[in-house]
Amino acid sequence: MAVDFRGHPMFAPGFNSPTRFEADVYDCEVWGQIPSDIEGTFYRVQCDFAYRPPMNEWPTGFNGDGHVSAFRFANGSVDFKARYVKTERLMTERKARKRLWGVYRNPYTDDPSVANIDRGAANTHIYWHGGKMIVLKEDSLPYYIDPHSLETLGRWDFYGKWKATSMSAHPKIDPMTGEMIAYGYQAKGILSKDIAVYTVNPQGHIVKDVWLQSPYLGIIHDIAITQKHVIIPVISRTTSEARLKSGEPMWEWQGDLPTMVGILPRDGEARDVRWFKGPSRNTLHFLNASDGPNNTVTMELPVSDEERSPSQIKRWTFNLSSKNDAFGEEVVSRSNGVLARMDDRYLSLPYRYGFVGHNDPEKPYDTAAGGNRAGRVTNCYKRFDLANPTAPESTFFVGNVQSLQEAGFIPRKGSTAEGDGYVVGIASNYAEMASELHIVDAQRMEEGAVAVVKLPFRLRSGTHVNWFSSDDLEAQKAENV
């Protein structure tokens, strides 16, 4: 049967339809001037769909096939490359020329022929660590790819030492030690409450693992770390065997459940975890955390009070000396984006600045040129200052026909000052039906992009991005020889 996406509720004709191609663009068109100190590669991952999913697929689109893009910068020029991750899942479907996997994370809806085949789609995030470029999705083990050609090299299990059945797409790399703190949940199989937390040394070898039990079967999409602790939030989006057997995607919102947050000492064991309890909150991605005075831990994150209420940047505070299991909550920015990033050189440490997408309804939008999307576009990047939350926030406005995806941060070469560098992210240009990469000086965001890399085609909405400098890639490559 030929591929036909018509009539599927996720794929109305337009910008976010499946793209289904791989690409190379040598010496991309650039409007403006790329700063000479940007040397390295900006990676992004998107969920694309090679084949039509079931009609009741989770509308987030997170069950598409992993597709990696790379913008490689050198000497003021940039080359673009995009490749599918050649997962066992994708290649099995290509051989059959049809969709074989069912709805999101529900094996009961899969074709029986794939019962013993890895369902990992490698479609969420990408990290360079221990000489391996790994591409991740949270229900399975990652794949690793060549950082230059993007060709798929295989599944990665950390030299056979990763025993959990899954690895989340949001590990954290400690900038002080080079260690990766990684984890899997439903770690002993689907619907299990097991959490496995791993410490991976800079060479890519597991040196510690701790196994925990989740308070309930909720989503654990991200974690945060400090120099002393791992913070593990369990969010009230939950599942059950009955739901899966009914044929639905894994998750449903259950707002009567509390938010549970585990604080695990990085040098501790399962018995040392401390669970805190708070009101139900909708959040998936966390900005940063740090150890504070008087045995406290603070964590900043985009969060909604209810399933569909507007997001804000909040600070959660955990007092490890208190016998009370509640945690404090305060707003630190009214920015309404759900994907916040920072200068990763300060990850796990006290820090000041965050960067986040934002929908500003006061900014103009050209409906005639860009389509009926007014009020539903991420038209700004904002920089908020945690040291001065009431100060005006620096803002980059992308334009009146575009919508921004997750931002990344590129440090200015030779500078160690926090936030001194560039905010970089993809914009969907609805008037041109094409994608473009905007490079913004983080110190002068109001002045607009210093350079825009123009692609002659569109990319679907991405999941996550990361930047790795040429020095990063070469250092770990040498270390891994």
Side-chain angles (χ1 to χ4, degrees):
M1 180 182 295
V3 178
D4 187 349
F5 290 100
R6 291 176 300 173
H8 197 288
M10 288 174 54
F11 305 126
F15 207 95
N16 213 36
S17 298
T19 56
R20 306 182 74 240
F21 67 86
E22 299 179 320
D24 291 274
V25 181
Y26 183 77
D27 215 358
C28 295
E29 180 182 4
V30 177
W31 292 4
Q33 185 171 353
I34 295 172
S36 61
D37 59 343
I38 295 183
E39 297 274 346
T41 305
F42 180 76
Y43 296 91
R44 68 182 291 279
V45 183
Q46 68 180 27
C47 297
D48 211 338
F49 284 81
Y51 295 95
R52 180 186 174 115
M55 292 292 282
N56 68 325
E57 179 62 279
W58 200 23
T60 59
F62 293 157
N63 202 20
D65 296 293
H67 190 275
V68 176
S69 304
F71 293 81
R72 183 159 293 113
F73 292 85
N75 303 315
S77 296
V78 56
D79 301 328
F80 174 85
K81 186 181 292 288
R83 295 287 186 274
Y84 275 103
V85 184
K86 306 303 193 300
T87 62
E88 188 176 11
R89 163 178 158 155
L90 174 62
M91 301 314 288
T92 301
E93 290 188 331
R94 282 188 175 181
K95 184 176 180 179
R97 292 184 178 268
K98 65 178 182 179
R99 178 81 174 206
L100 297 172
W101 274 264
V103 297
Y104 181 84
R105 294 184 69 176
N106 187 342
Y108 293 105
T109 62
D110 296 345
D111 188 287
S113 67
V114 300
N116 297 314
I117 298 176
D118 176 31
R119 70 188 342 263
N123 66 10
T124 308
H125 216 333
I126 185 166
Y127 281 86
W128 174 248
H129 186 261
K132 296 287 189 296
M133 186 67 73
I134 56 174
V135 191
L136 305 111
K137 185 190 176 189
E138 66 183 37
D139 64 353
S140 51
L141 268 63
Y143 279 74
Y144 70 110
I145 64 174
D146 185 284
H148 305 293
S149 71
L150 305 187
E151 295 307 319
T152 303
L153 301 174
R155 292 176 76 223
W156 183 236
D157 61 5
F158 296 86
Y159 303 102
K161 300 300 184 182
W162 189 280
K163 300 305 181 184
T165 59
S166 63
M167 178 178 176
S168 168
H170 289 280
K172 304 300 177 187
I173 298 175
D174 185 331
M176 305 300 289
T177 66
E179 292 176 321
M180 173 187 280
I181 308 300
Y183 72 105
Y185 74 104
Q186 297 190 29
K188 290 186 178 179
I190 192 167
L191 300 178
S192 74
K193 294 199 295 183
D194 300 273
I195 307 168
V197 181
Y198 290 91
T199 301
V200 185
N201 71 15
Q203 292 74 39
H205 294 276
I206 292 172
V207 295
K208 180 181 174 65
D209 65 294
V210 177
W211 289 74
L212 312 169
Q213 285 287 302
S214 178
Y216 61 85
L217 197 59
I219 194 168
I220 311 174
H221 184 72
D222 197 358
I223 60 170
I225 65 169
T226 72
Q227 286 294 294
K228 297 179 180 179
H229 300 96
V230 183
I231 298 92
I232 309 169
V234 182
I235 306 302
S236 51
R237 194 174 294 279
T238 188
T239 191
S240 66
E241 186 175 29
R243 177 174 174 82
L244 297 186
K245 285 186 173 180
S246 75
E248 292 301 310
M250 174 168 279
W251 300 115
E252 63 179 337
W253 180 253
Q254 192 170 338
D256 59 338
L257 288 173
T259 298
M260 300 295 295
V261 183
I263 310 290
L264 172 69
R266 284 174 59 173
D267 62 357
E269 301 298 335
R271 63 179 177 271
D272 301 313
V273 69
R274 169 87 181 272
W275 289 99
F276 289 82
K277 181 188 293 186
S280 176
R281 293 289 184 259
N282 189 15
T283 179
L284 286 179
H285 301 104
F286 314 133
L287 178 58
N288 195 28
S290 57
D291 299 303
N294 303 316
N295 206 23
T296 59
V297 171
T298 58
M299 170 180 170
E300 290 76 33
L301 67 163
V303 60
S304 302
D305 289 349
E306 299 174 355
E307 182 184 15
R308 302 190 187 281
S309 60
S311 181
Q312 303 175 93
I313 309 296
K314 292 190 176 184
R315 175 180 291 129
W316 290 352
T317 300
F318 308 91
N319 185 346
L320 297 175
S321 295
S322 171
K323 295 182 179 179
N324 190 334
D325 65 0
F327 56 87
E329 183 178 58
E330 60 183 311
V331 175
V332 293
S333 171
R334 301 287 178 185
S335 297
N336 55 33
V338 298
L339 295 172
R341 297 297 294 263
M342 59 174 295
D343 182 340
D344 285 339
R345 298 173 298 175
Y346 288 77
L347 188 81
S348 78
L349 303 167
Y351 70 115
R352 182 171 180 177
Y353 299 113
F355 304 93
V356 67
H358 177 77
N359 168 250
D360 185 343
E362 301 301 317
K363 299 292 187 185
Y365 182 79
D366 187 341
T367 301
N372 185 25
R373 295 181 175 88
R376 295 182 289 116
V377 294
T378 300
N379 53 16
C380 297
Y381 285 142
K382 281 186 169 287
R383 184 188 74 184
F384 52 91
D385 184 348
L386 296 170
N388 193 3
T390 61
E393 296 181 344
S394 298
T395 302
F396 162 69
F397 172 56
V398 67
N400 64 358
V401 292
Q402 291 113 322
S403 186
L404 292 159
Q405 300 180 22
E406 182 184 38
F409 179 79
I410 302 176
R412 199 182 310 275
K413 198 168 186 177
S415 174
T416 59
E418 183 195 353
D420 186 15
Y422 307 94
V423 178
V424 183
I426 291 285
S428 302
N429 187 319
Y430 297 121
E432 298 180 4
M433 285 296 288
S435 296
E436 50 199 36
L437 183 71
H438 288 249
I439 303 170
V440 181
D441 191 316
Q443 304 295 309
R444 295 185 290 274
M445 296 179 66
E446 287 81 3
E447 296 178 11
V450 297
V452 179
V453 180
K454 304 285 287 186
L455 292 178
F457 43 74
R458 63 181 174 86
L459 300 171
R460 298 188 80 240
S461 294
T463 46
H464 293 293
V465 303
N466 257 328
W467 164 262
F468 300 105
S469 71
S470 298
D471 290 344
D472 291 335
L473 297 174
E474 286 304 313
Q476 287 197 34
K477 178 181 177 183
E479 189 174 87
N480 198 52
V481 171

